[in-house]
Amino acid sequence: TEIYTLSLHDALRSYNSDVETVHNTIELEFFDLENFSGMKDFHQRIASIRHTIIWLFKLLTELLQFRVNPIEL
């Protein structure tokens, strides 16, 4: 069994920290903008957002299968 490893080019070493910085900013802004009445409310909103993202992903997948140009919509 061969094991392959990947390493980032020296110029790209900060990519992971850059991604984490963006994630932190998104989380802080999300919790600053949203008010939750409790954990149940939080989980319901997250489920709704997840459902919307899945629906959009499926729509995009269908459009790509039919090679529909978004401008044609």
Side-chain angles (χ1 to χ4, degrees):
T1 302
E2 293 184 45
I3 297 174
Y4 296 96
T5 60
L6 297 173
S7 61
L8 292 174
H9 185 273
D10 288 339
L12 307 177
R13 296 258 182 225
S14 69
Y15 273 20
N16 190 52
S17 62
D18 293 344
V19 169
E20 293 303 323
T21 299
V22 170
H23 285 169
N24 183 53
T25 302
I26 291 169
E27 290 171 12
L28 291 174
E29 290 178 358
F30 175 75
F31 287 112
D32 282 346
L33 292 173
E34 297 290 332
N35 294 317
F36 304 103
S37 61
M39 286 302 291
K40 184 177 180 180
D41 181 38
F42 172 77
H43 287 290
Q44 286 174 336
R45 290 196 202 185
I46 294 301
S48 176
I49 293 168
R50 182 176 179 267
H51 175 75
T52 302
I53 290 171
I54 290 171
W55 180 82
L56 288 171
F57 179 77
K58 287 180 180 180
L59 177 64
L60 179 61
T61 302
E62 288 180 26
L63 292 175
L64 290 173
Q65 284 178 340
F66 294 112
R67 298 176 191 253
V68 175
N69 185 338
I71 296 171
E72 296 171 1
L73 297 175

